[in-house]
Amino acid sequence: MTTNSDIVNYSDTENRSALVAVKTHIITGFLVFLLMMAAGATMRAAQGKLAGVDDSLFYQIMTMHGVGVVGISGIVGFSIMWYFLRQYVPLNLKIFWINFYIFLTGVVIILASIFVGGYAGAWTFLYPLPTTSLGVWSVGAAIGFLSGLLLIGVGFLILLLDIARGLLSRYGSLARALGVTQLFGKDPLDTHHPTTVTISTVVLIVDFIGIAAGAVALIIMLINAVNPEFKPDPLLVKNLIYFFGHVIINAAIYSSVPAVYELLPRYTKRPYHTSKVFYAAWFVAVFTIMGVYPHHLYMDFPMPAWAVIAGQVLSYCSGLPVMIVTGYGTLMMVYRSGIQWSTPAKLLVLSIFGWAAGGIPAVVDSMMAFNSVLHNTLWVPGHFHFYLLLGLLPMIIGFTFYLFSTPEDEANPPLIEKLAVYTYVTGVLMLVLVFLTSGAHGIPRRWAVHMDPWVPYAQWGAIAGVLVTLGLLLFAVRVFTKLPKATDPALEYSRH
Ligand code: HEM
Ligand SMILES: [Cu+2]
């Protein structure tokens, strides 16, 4: 797929160390996802009155679950992107590790702020909630949470700077790396331009701006926490926060998408060629990913009308170009290719379905008429659990299984893997359908205690949550036993 001039030369030792770093990210990811899923199932059980969870503890768990899954999705997504991107542009292994250690430090601070300090103001830290807890937690706990998050953001920004340096050293400009110069005819069309380079450039641009906005919001709120005389405009801070939140979770998905573009062609034995349509879709994505965030602010009537209208219009088209190009590309790669349905191949194809299908309830919610009914109901966790659990996670799990699956495993997937796929997918569909129907019935989100008529929904949700956790546990058993010893398949290929 790539000409040799596209490949960066590393020594075998460098490649082995890089693989160790990627594996560390992935294994940490599986551990954290397992814990967070157990926490999710616990929340559903508490709402279903199957488990006695103190109300404050519920909101602590909810805060940890939200910040935990978003953070780990971000760092694991980066590790997938980094793994592929370093083949095309020189990337610094030390910086990759530095980000990982900063992340762990931030996690410790955040966990302490939640479980020692009692912070329970949700991962969205909406101003002024963190500093006005009415005595449930201290301002110190809020400061801990906000600084832990800020620290993690700084780590991500450092890693993004290295990615920018790598891309610029190889391509000279971000426009070249993205493919914009080919799109507008300044450079001849190169159908061998690596898809990973285009996607990484999009992730770099939006994530850098998104995290920078988040950092500004966090700093403003930290100043306010230390000096309450300083009162920022709540609507401005809310804009910054939702811009940040929307962009980083999207970037986490997009940073895992290279796994689909890089690996499916290997499984279908059909190379993927870039085209002007591909560049155009990803170029547009830069603007739609950042431009749609006002769909979180329809209920804020002081928002300028043009901003929310733009948010709605862009939401219709957000993701669509990229999803169509990726979805169509996937179908074309798979259709009559005689693809062998190995576990990684199944998961990667599933991820495209889950990402696209999960987008539908999201677009519904981004229309004002529906939003005025569905806002802050369980419809919202319904749509994002859909594309995160059936889109993002299968990309991550599929990539992981690619790293260690032997040709024998791929020809004949072990029973435990088949069982894992069925348990996981059944669980997720059930989890999501229960969330969506609950939302359609108007059951609010983020309520620790549910009214009696809502309890059966929460109970079904708890059962689904246990199934999903079990499914991931089955995958994890394979990962924990196989991944540590695996050698890099990409190196094996290049030797042949
Ligand atoms: C077994 C799997 C899971 C279960 C049972 C579960 C359950 C839940 C529950 C009950 C909530 C709070 C709902 C409410 O507002 O009342 C929630 C929130 C959330 N979940 Fe999950 N979840 C699971 C996995 C995941 C995963 C893997 C991700 C991300 C990759 C994720 C992302 C989120 C986010 C971002 C929130 C929002 C937190 C907030 O409202 O502040 N969840 N989840
Ligand atoms: Cu959004």
Side-chain angles (χ1 to χ4, degrees):
M1 264 145 285
T2 46
T3 51
N4 268 339
S5 64
D6 279 335
I7 306 286
V8 182
N9 283 314
Y10 296 101
S11 69
D12 276 5
T13 334
E14 282 173 313
N15 280 328
R16 269 195 295 273
S17 321
L19 185 64
V20 170
V22 172
K23 284 179 183 175
T24 310
H25 280 69
I26 298 280
I27 290 177
T28 313
F30 272 82
L31 284 172
V32 174
F33 276 124
L34 277 173
L35 285 172
M36 293 305 131
M37 287 182 170
T42 308
M43 279 189 278
R44 285 310 254 159
Q47 291 169 334
K49 305 206 187 330
L50 298 169
V53 175
D54 175 72
D55 298 352
S56 299
L57 181 61
F58 177 93
Y59 291 110
Q60 290 173 0
I61 296 177
M62 191 188 85
T63 304
M64 174 194 68
H65 178 83
V67 75
V69 289
V70 173
I72 202 71
S73 300
I75 201 159
V76 171
F78 268 179
S79 75
I80 296 178
M81 191 172 99
W82 191 89
Y83 171 86
F84 291 113
L85 186 61
R86 71 184 282 281
Q87 305 179 337
Y88 310 112
V89 311
L91 294 179
N92 187 317
L93 177 61
K94 276 208 190 92
I95 292 184
F96 189 52
W97 276 118
I98 288 175
N99 176 46
F100 184 73
Y101 287 119
I102 293 184
F103 181 81
L104 290 188
T105 316
V107 168
V108 172
I109 298 175
I110 288 176
L111 283 178
S113 79
I114 296 175
F115 292 107
V116 182
Y119 175 77
W123 80 280
T124 44
F125 56 93
L126 200 57
Y127 175 77
L129 179 60
T131 43
T132 44
S133 75
L134 299 179
V136 179
W137 62 84
S138 64
V139 173
I143 292 179
F145 184 84
L146 298 172
S147 0
L149 221 48
L150 186 59
L151 188 64
I152 291 178
V154 171
F156 278 29
L157 285 179
I158 295 174
L159 182 59
L160 284 169
L161 282 177
D162 185 55
I163 290 173
R165 186 199 50 76
L167 285 166
L168 291 176
S169 75
R170 175 76 178 71
Y171 292 93
S173 75
L174 293 183
R176 282 277 268 315
L178 205 159
V180 180
T181 48
Q182 296 178 47
L183 177 64
F184 294 120
K186 293 216 173 110
D187 283 331
L189 183 67
D190 171 12
T191 58
H192 294 285
H193 184 71
T195 48
T196 294
V197 170
T198 298
I199 300 171
S200 306
T201 310
V202 173
V203 170
L204 164 70
I205 298 171
V206 301
D207 224 11
F208 199 89
I209 302 174
I211 295 176
V216 171
L218 287 165
I219 292 170
I220 291 178
M221 288 178 63
L222 279 165
I223 298 177
N224 164 267
V226 179
N227 173 15
E229 295 290 296
F230 168 76
K231 286 201 188 343
D233 175 354
L235 191 59
L236 172 69
V237 182
K238 186 170 181 182
N239 272 272
L240 286 169
I241 291 176
Y242 275 93
F243 177 75
F244 154 78
H246 174 91
V247 168
I248 56 154
I249 192 63
N250 271 272
I253 303 179
Y254 288 97
S255 62
S256 306
V257 172
V260 177
Y261 280 99
E262 293 272 354
L263 300 181
L264 265 189
R266 288 194 181 157
Y267 290 116
T268 59
K269 302 196 173 57
R270 273 189 195 155
Y272 184 86
H273 294 296
T274 47
S275 59
K276 286 203 172 184
V277 176
F278 173 86
Y279 297 129
W282 285 93
F283 180 54
V284 169
V286 171
F287 304 97
T288 50
I289 295 172
M290 294 194 291
V292 300
Y293 86 91
H295 62 205
H296 295 275
L297 294 130
Y298 292 150
M299 296 296 135
D300 296 275
F301 48 86
M303 276 295 283
W306 61 265
V308 284
I309 290 171
Q312 160 151 353
V313 173
L314 283 173
S315 294
Y316 288 131
C317 357
S318 152
L320 270 187
V322 165
M323 258 183 240
I324 290 170
V325 165
T326 311
Y328 179 76
T330 308
L331 291 177
M332 286 305 103
M333 279 188 270
V334 172
Y335 181 65
R336 290 200 168 167
S337 66
I339 184 173
Q340 193 176 50
W341 288 108
S342 61
T343 306
K346 270 186 216 161
L347 287 164
L348 293 168
V349 173
L350 171 71
S351 74
I352 295 304
F353 161 78
W355 183 30
I360 297 169
V363 172
V364 168
D365 191 35
S366 70
M367 295 183 216
M368 288 171 204
F370 285 101
N371 191 270
S372 58
V373 182
L374 298 171
H375 192 84
N376 278 346
T377 66
L378 287 177
W379 183 272
V380 180
H383 76 63
F384 65 70
H385 283 90
F386 200 144
Y387 56 66
L388 291 174
L389 276 84
L390 226 46
L392 174 62
L393 262 85
M395 286 180 208
I396 295 174
I397 308 171
F399 168 74
T400 308
F401 274 70
Y402 152 78
L403 286 178
F404 66 76
S405 291
T406 60
E408 296 77 56
D409 290 340
E410 295 193 343
N412 204 350
L415 184 63
I416 180 170
E417 293 184 7
K418 291 188 194 159
L419 213 63
V421 174
Y422 288 120
T423 318
Y424 183 81
V425 174
T426 314
V428 172
L429 288 175
M430 190 171 149
L431 179 89
V432 166
L433 284 178
V434 175
F435 268 145
L436 290 174
T437 37
S438 306
H441 284 89
I443 304 178
R445 74 181 280 207
R446 290 178 164 170
W447 280 27
V449 180
H450 277 202
M451 289 168 65
D452 285 339
W454 308 341
V455 164
Y457 291 94
Q459 293 178 338
W460 283 106
I463 297 170
V466 171
L467 268 183
V468 177
T469 314
L470 267 181
L472 191 74
L473 189 64
L474 291 173
F475 283 124
V477 168
R478 289 287 287 167
V479 174
F480 296 154
T481 51
K482 295 285 166 190
L483 185 62
K485 283 169 276 173
T487 50
D488 194 335
L491 298 179
E492 300 297 312
Y493 284 124
S494 62
R495 283 208 187 89
H496 292 160

Coordinates of all heavy atoms in Angstrom, one line a residue, residues 124-174:
T124 N -17.9 16.6 33.4 CA -18.0 17.8 32.7 C -17.8 19.1 33.5 O -17.9 20.2 33.0 CB -19.5 17.9 32.1 OG1 -20.4 17.5 33.1 CG2 -19.6 16.9 30.9
F125 N -17.5 18.9 34.8 CA -17.1 20.0 35.7 C -17.8 21.4 35.4 O -17.1 22.4 35.3 CB -15.6 20.2 35.7 CG -14.9 20.4 34.4 CD1 -14.6 21.7 34.0 CD2 -14.4 19.4 33.6 CE1 -13.9 21.9 32.8 CE2 -13.8 19.6 32.4 CZ -13.5 20.9 32.0
L126 N -19.1 21.4 35.1 CA -19.8 22.5 34.7 C -19.8 23.7 35.7 O -20.2 23.5 36.8 CB -21.2 22.2 34.3 CG -21.9 23.2 33.4 CD1 -21.1 23.3 32.1 CD2 -23.3 22.7 33.0
Y127 N -19.2 24.8 35.3 CA -19.2 26.0 36.2 C -20.6 26.4 36.5 O -21.4 26.5 35.6 CB -18.4 27.1 35.5 CG -18.3 28.4 36.3 CD1 -17.5 28.5 37.3 CD2 -19.1 29.4 35.9 CE1 -17.4 29.7 38.1 CE2 -19.1 30.6 36.6 CZ -18.3 30.7 37.7 OH -18.2 31.9 38.4
P128 N -20.9 26.8 37.7 CA -20.1 26.8 38.9 C -20.2 25.6 39.9 O -19.9 25.7 41.0 CB -20.6 28.1 39.6 CG -22.1 28.1 39.3 CD -22.2 27.4 38.0
L129 N -20.7 24.5 39.3 CA -21.0 23.4 40.2 C -19.8 22.9 41.1 O -19.9 22.7 42.3 CB -21.6 22.2 39.4 CG -21.9 20.9 40.2 CD1 -22.9 21.2 41.3 CD2 -22.4 19.8 39.3
P130 N -18.6 22.8 40.5 CA -17.5 22.2 41.3 C -17.2 23.0 42.5 O -16.8 22.5 43.6 CB -16.3 22.3 40.3 CG -16.9 22.2 38.9 CD -18.2 22.9 39.0
T131 N -17.4 24.4 42.5 CA -17.1 25.2 43.7 C -18.3 25.5 44.5 O -18.3 26.2 45.5 CB -16.4 26.5 43.3 OG1 -17.1 27.0 42.2 CG2 -14.9 26.2 43.0
T132 N -19.5 25.0 44.1 CA -20.7 25.3 44.9 C -21.4 23.9 45.2 O -22.5 23.7 44.7 CB -21.7 26.2 44.1 OG1 -21.8 25.7 42.8 CG2 -21.3 27.6 44.1
S133 N -20.8 23.1 46.0 CA -21.3 21.8 46.3 C -22.3 21.8 47.5 O -22.8 20.7 47.8 CB -20.2 20.8 46.6 OG -19.7 21.1 47.9
L134 N -22.5 22.9 48.1 CA -23.3 23.0 49.3 C -22.8 22.1 50.4 O -23.6 21.4 51.0 CB -24.8 22.7 49.0 CG -25.5 23.6 48.0 CD1 -26.9 23.2 47.7 CD2 -25.4 25.1 48.5
G135 N -21.5 22.0 50.4 CA -20.9 21.2 51.5 C -20.7 19.7 51.2 O -20.2 19.0 52.1
V136 N -21.1 19.2 50.1 CA -21.0 17.8 49.8 C -19.5 17.5 49.6 O -19.0 16.4 50.1 CB -21.8 17.4 48.6 CG1 -21.6 15.9 48.3 CG2 -23.3 17.7 48.8
W137 N -18.7 18.4 49.0 CA -17.3 18.2 48.9 C -16.6 19.6 49.1 O -17.3 20.6 48.9 CB -16.9 17.5 47.6 CG -17.2 18.3 46.3 CD1 -16.5 19.3 45.8 CD2 -18.3 18.2 45.5 NE1 -17.1 19.8 44.7 CE2 -18.2 19.1 44.5 CE3 -19.4 17.3 45.5 CZ2 -19.2 19.3 43.5 CZ3 -20.4 17.4 44.5 CH2 -20.3 18.4 43.5
S138 N -15.3 19.6 49.3 CA -14.7 20.8 49.6 C -14.2 21.5 48.3 O -14.1 20.8 47.3 CB -13.5 20.6 50.5 OG -12.5 19.8 49.8
V139 N -13.9 22.8 48.4 CA -13.3 23.5 47.2 C -12.0 22.8 46.9 O -11.6 22.7 45.7 CB -13.1 25.0 47.5 CG1 -12.3 25.7 46.4 CG2 -14.5 25.6 47.7
G140 N -11.3 22.3 47.9 CA -10.0 21.6 47.7 C -10.2 20.4 46.8 O -9.3 20.2 45.9
A141 N -11.2 19.7 47.0 CA -11.5 18.5 46.2 C -11.7 18.9 44.8 O -11.2 18.3 43.8 CB -12.7 17.7 46.7
A142 N -12.5 20.0 44.6 CA -12.7 20.5 43.2 C -11.4 20.9 42.6 O -11.1 20.6 41.4 CB -13.7 21.7 43.3
I143 N -10.6 21.6 43.3 CA -9.3 22.0 42.8 C -8.5 20.8 42.4 O -7.8 20.8 41.3 CB -8.5 22.9 43.8 CG1 -9.2 24.2 44.0 CG2 -7.1 23.1 43.4 CD1 -8.6 25.2 45.0
G144 N -8.5 19.8 43.2 CA -7.8 18.5 42.9 C -8.3 18.0 41.5 O -7.5 17.7 40.6
F145 N -9.6 17.9 41.4 CA -10.1 17.3 40.2 C -9.7 18.1 38.9 O -9.3 17.6 37.9 CB -11.7 17.2 40.3 CG -12.3 16.6 39.1 CD1 -12.4 15.2 39.0 CD2 -12.8 17.3 38.0 CE1 -13.0 14.6 37.9 CE2 -13.4 16.7 36.9 CZ -13.5 15.3 36.8
L146 N -9.9 19.5 39.1 CA -9.6 20.3 37.9 C -8.1 20.3 37.6 O -7.8 20.2 36.4 CB -10.1 21.8 38.2 CG -11.5 22.0 38.5 CD1 -11.8 23.4 39.0 CD2 -12.4 21.7 37.3
S147 N -7.3 20.3 38.6 CA -5.8 20.3 38.3 C -5.4 18.9 37.7 O -4.5 18.9 36.8 CB -4.9 20.6 39.4 OG -5.6 20.9 40.6
G148 N -6.0 17.8 38.2 CA -5.7 16.5 37.6 C -6.0 16.5 36.1 O -5.2 16.0 35.3
L149 N -7.2 17.0 35.8 CA -7.6 17.1 34.4 C -6.7 17.9 33.6 O -6.3 17.6 32.4 CB -9.0 17.6 34.4 CG -10.0 17.0 33.4 CD1 -10.0 15.5 33.6 CD2 -11.4 17.5 33.7
L150 N -6.3 19.1 34.1 CA -5.4 20.0 33.4 C -4.1 19.3 33.2 O -3.5 19.4 32.1 CB -5.2 21.3 34.3 CG -4.4 22.4 33.7 CD1 -5.1 22.9 32.4 CD2 -4.3 23.6 34.6
L151 N -3.6 18.6 34.1 CA -2.3 17.9 34.0 C -2.4 16.9 32.8 O -1.5 16.9 32.0 CB -2.0 17.2 35.3 CG -0.6 16.6 35.4 CD1 0.5 17.7 35.3 CD2 -0.4 15.8 36.7
I152 N -3.4 16.1 32.8 CA -3.6 15.1 31.7 C -3.7 15.9 30.4 O -3.0 15.4 29.4 CB -4.9 14.3 31.9 CG1 -4.7 13.4 33.2 CG2 -5.2 13.5 30.7 CD1 -5.8 12.6 33.5
G153 N -4.4 17.0 30.3 CA -4.4 17.8 29.1 C -3.0 18.2 28.6 O -2.7 18.2 27.4
V154 N -2.2 18.7 29.6 CA -0.9 19.1 29.2 C -0.1 18.0 28.6 O 0.6 18.1 27.6 CB -0.1 19.7 30.5 CG1 1.3 19.9 30.2 CG2 -0.8 21.0 30.9
G155 N -0.2 16.8 29.2 CA 0.5 15.6 28.6 C 0.1 15.4 27.2 O 0.9 15.1 26.3
F156 N -1.3 15.4 27.0 CA -1.8 15.2 25.6 C -1.2 16.3 24.6 O -0.9 16.0 23.5 CB -3.3 15.2 25.6 CG -4.0 13.9 26.0 CD1 -3.3 13.1 26.9 CD2 -5.2 13.6 25.5 CE1 -3.9 11.9 27.3 CE2 -5.8 12.4 25.9 CZ -5.2 11.5 26.8
L157 N -1.2 17.5 25.1 CA -0.7 18.6 24.2 C 0.8 18.3 23.9 O 1.2 18.6 22.7 CB -0.8 20.0 24.9 CG -2.3 20.5 25.0 CD1 -2.3 21.8 25.7 CD2 -2.9 20.7 23.6
I158 N 1.6 17.9 24.8 CA 3.0 17.6 24.5 C 3.1 16.5 23.4 O 3.8 16.6 22.5 CB 3.7 17.1 25.8 CG1 3.8 18.3 26.8 CG2 5.1 16.7 25.5 CD1 4.3 17.9 28.2
L159 N 2.3 15.4 23.6 CA 2.3 14.4 22.6 C 1.9 14.9 21.2 O 2.5 14.6 20.2 CB 1.4 13.2 23.1 CG 1.4 12.0 22.1 CD1 2.8 11.4 22.0 CD2 0.4 10.9 22.6
L160 N 0.8 15.7 21.2 CA 0.4 16.3 20.0 C 1.4 17.1 19.3 O 1.6 17.1 18.1 CB -0.9 17.1 20.2 CG -2.2 16.3 20.4 CD1 -3.3 17.2 20.9 CD2 -2.6 15.5 19.1
L161 N 2.2 17.9 20.1 CA 3.3 18.7 19.5 C 4.3 17.8 18.8 O 4.8 18.1 17.8 CB 4.0 19.5 20.6 CG 3.2 20.8 21.1 CD1 4.0 21.5 22.2 CD2 3.1 21.7 19.9
D162 N 4.6 16.7 19.4 CA 5.6 15.8 18.8 C 5.0 15.2 17.5 O 5.7 15.0 16.5 CB 6.0 14.6 19.8 CG 7.0 13.7 19.1 OD1 8.1 14.3 18.8 OD2 6.9 12.5 19.0
I163 N 3.7 14.9 17.5 CA 3.1 14.4 16.3 C 3.1 15.5 15.2 O 3.4 15.2 14.0 CB 1.6 14.0 16.6 CG1 1.7 12.7 17.5 CG2 0.8 13.8 15.3 CD1 0.3 12.2 18.0
A164 N 2.9 16.8 15.6 CA 2.9 17.9 14.7 C 4.4 18.0 14.1 O 4.6 18.1 12.9 CB 2.6 19.2 15.3
R165 N 5.4 17.9 15.0 CA 6.8 17.9 14.6 C 7.0 16.8 13.5 O 7.6 17.1 12.5 CB 7.7 17.8 15.8 CG 9.2 18.0 15.5 CD 10.0 17.4 16.6 NE 9.7 16.0 16.9 CZ 10.0 15.0 16.2 NH1 10.6 15.1 15.1 NH2 9.6 13.8 16.5
G166 N 6.6 15.6 13.9 CA 6.9 14.5 13.0 C 6.2 14.7 11.6 O 6.9 14.5 10.5
L167 N 4.9 15.2 11.6 CA 4.2 15.4 10.3 C 4.9 16.5 9.5 O 5.1 16.3 8.3 CB 2.8 15.8 10.6 CG 1.9 14.6 11.0 CD1 0.5 15.1 11.6 CD2 1.6 13.6 9.9
L168 N 5.3 17.6 10.2 CA 5.9 18.7 9.5 C 7.3 18.3 8.9 O 7.6 18.7 7.8 CB 6.0 19.9 10.4 CG 4.7 20.6 10.8 CD1 4.9 21.7 11.7 CD2 3.9 21.1 9.5
S169 N 8.0 17.5 9.7 CA 9.4 17.2 9.2 C 9.3 16.3 7.9 O 10.2 16.3 7.1 CB 10.2 16.4 10.3 OG 9.7 15.1 10.4
R170 N 8.2 15.6 7.8 CA 8.1 14.7 6.6 C 7.3 15.4 5.5 O 7.7 15.2 4.3 CB 7.4 13.4 7.1 CG 7.0 12.4 6.0 CD 8.3 11.6 5.6 NE 8.0 10.6 4.6 CZ 7.6 10.9 3.4 NH1 7.5 12.1 2.9 NH2 7.3 9.9 2.5
Y171 N 6.3 16.2 5.8 CA 5.4 16.7 4.7 C 5.6 18.2 4.6 O 5.0 18.8 3.6 CB 4.0 16.3 5.0 CG 3.8 14.9 4.9 CD1 3.8 14.0 6.0 CD2 3.5 14.3 3.6 CE1 3.7 12.6 5.8 CE2 3.3 12.9 3.4 CZ 3.4 12.1 4.6 OH 3.3 10.8 4.4
G172 N 6.2 18.9 5.4 CA 6.5 20.3 5.3 C 5.3 21.2 5.7 O 5.5 22.3 6.3
S173 N 4.1 20.8 5.5 CA 2.9 21.5 6.0 C 1.8 20.6 6.4 O 1.7 19.5 5.9 CB 2.4 22.5 5.0 OG 1.7 21.8 4.0
L174 N 0.9 21.1 7.3 CA -0.2 20.2 7.6 C -1.2 20.0 6.4 O -1.8 19.0 6.3 CB -1.0 20.8 8.8 CG -0.2 20.8 10.1 CD1 -1.1 21.4 11.3 CD2 0.3 19.5 10.5

